[in-house]
Amino acid sequence: MARTRVSPLAGGLAAAVAVGLAVTCWVVFPPEVAGRAIAARPDVDLSLPWPAQGQASAEVQGLGSLGSHGDRRPVPIASVTKVMTAYVVLKDHPLGPDDAGPQITVDEQAEAESTSPDESTAPVRAGRSLSERDLLALMLVPSGNNVARLLARWDAGSQEAFVAKMNREAAALGMTDTTYTGASGVEDSTTSTAVDQLRLAREAMKNPVIRAIVAKASLRIDGVPGAVVNTNTLLGRNGVIGLKTGSSTAAGGALMWAAESRGGALILGVVLHQSPGGTPGQGLRAALENSEKLIAAIQRELPAATR
């Protein structure tokens, strides 16, 4: 068979196309070096004080990515898990911005777990009815693990069935490096990445009920003694309006956060795996401190970068 001859011009064009495709693939699917992904160029390039350890990712809605930093492998996320729990509950049982929702009866298991010394809980009593909205607040604000599991049982019949829903939602959102194994985050086997949790933050902040609850520094709920205080102590500083803390020995400290820029844009970020291996309190302090530095720098640098 005669060999087909390719002209120099055609060969040059083919090579150029190949190079172009390679560059495109490098940007869209950045390569990995020793398990660490080389981040694609951010849409808004700022000089930011990214945490020295763990991983972080941030973006400005309407402008784009501010970049990601650190190891991209899945790590335990502790109570940041509860954002997905709230997302699934509200998808199955939607509430209007001012709706309280159906009354839910506290079961004996939720009361028994409320006195656990080994995890964060909310003081609920068996037989008492609380609204869906109040239970979401008890889960998200003081980070009640027992309430997260109560909501899971109410929604799906069992925590196991609810977790299957969580993982289906994660897959639907493109959270390919996320695995949920419980509704509260107490299990170290619930793992994710800052990039994946940032995808969830975008969706969570679209829900007016989640957005209103996570902005509360404290609140009072009928039938619950005293004020319920938010574990996110950054609220009200540097424009912070949410979202959710997490801490455990394995996870260290974690924070999914939302802030409003001086121009009104929504800034979202996630910081994970801060000071793991120590006490949960030490990890949470590190996550809050490092997040505050990052948020303050974004608020300071963003106006000049977007002129």
Side-chain angles (χ1 to χ4, degrees):
M1 179 181 291
R3 181 178 299 173
T4 302
R5 180 175 177 175
V6 179
S7 71
L9 177 58
L13 287 173
V17 169
V19 171
L21 286 172
V23 170
T24 300
C25 289
W26 194 97
V27 172
V28 177
F29 305 104
E32 292 192 0
V33 177
R36 295 167 64 92
I38 301 173
R41 185 180 298 278
D43 297 311
V44 182
D45 197 359
L46 305 180
S47 178
L48 298 176
W50 295 104
Q53 64 177 167
Q55 54 185 279
S57 188
E59 68 179 32
V60 181
Q61 288 196 350
L63 294 176
S65 171
L66 297 176
S68 299
H69 183 80
D71 199 331
R72 293 282 294 275
R73 288 170 289 195
V75 295
I77 61 172
S79 286
V80 171
T81 299
K82 295 182 177 86
V83 178
M84 179 59 88
T85 300
Y87 180 78
V88 172
V89 167
L90 284 166
K91 188 168 185 178
D92 289 346
H93 308 276
L95 298 178
D98 300 316
D99 291 346
Q103 293 290 304
I104 300 167
T105 302
V106 177
D107 60 20
E108 292 183 359
Q109 182 176 343
E111 178 180 356
E113 292 171 349
S114 71
T115 58
S116 171
D118 300 321
E119 55 181 329
S120 59
T121 62
V124 292
R125 296 292 173 261
R128 184 178 292 277
S129 292
L130 295 171
S131 70
E132 177 186 345
R133 190 186 190 103
D134 282 348
L135 287 174
L136 287 167
L138 287 172
M139 177 181 70
L140 292 170
V141 175
S143 204
N145 287 353
N146 58 327
V147 174
R149 294 187 287 265
L150 172 61
L151 283 167
R153 293 191 295 274
W154 170 71
D155 176 272
S158 70
Q159 182 177 210
E160 292 73 21
F162 186 81
V163 167
K165 289 186 177 186
M166 297 173 75
N167 284 310
R168 285 196 294 271
E169 289 300 331
L173 293 175
M175 299 167 65
T176 56
D177 291 318
T178 296
T179 302
Y180 290 105
T181 60
S184 70
V186 71
E187 302 86 359
D188 294 339
S189 51
T190 288
T191 59
S192 187
T193 63
V195 171
D196 270 10
Q197 290 300 306
L198 190 59
R199 291 177 183 268
L200 177 58
R202 289 179 210 136
E203 299 305 313
M205 288 301 284
K206 292 176 184 177
N207 188 295
V209 176
I210 293 177
R211 192 161 177 154
I213 290 173
V214 298
K216 300 283 188 184
S218 66
L219 48 81
R220 289 185 178 274
I221 294 174
D222 288 343
V224 176
V228 176
V229 179
N230 203 318
T231 54
N232 182 5
T233 56
L234 298 189
L235 286 170
R237 289 153 42 185
N238 294 308
V240 174
I241 57 172
L243 257 161
K244 186 71 192 76
T245 62
S247 62
S248 69
T249 298
L255 182 65
M256 177 190 289
W257 52 262
E260 289 181 340
S261 73
R262 296 183 184 109
L266 183 64
I267 311 169
L268 299 173
V270 178
V271 171
L272 300 179
H273 222 217
Q274 302 300 291
S275 297
T279 68
Q282 290 170 336
L284 181 56
R285 284 192 295 274
L288 290 165
E289 290 170 3
N290 290 331
S291 294
E292 185 168 32
K293 292 175 186 175
L294 186 57
I295 296 165
I298 293 170
Q299 294 282 29
R300 185 176 59 251
E301 300 293 334
L302 190 60
T306 56
R307 284 191 189 124

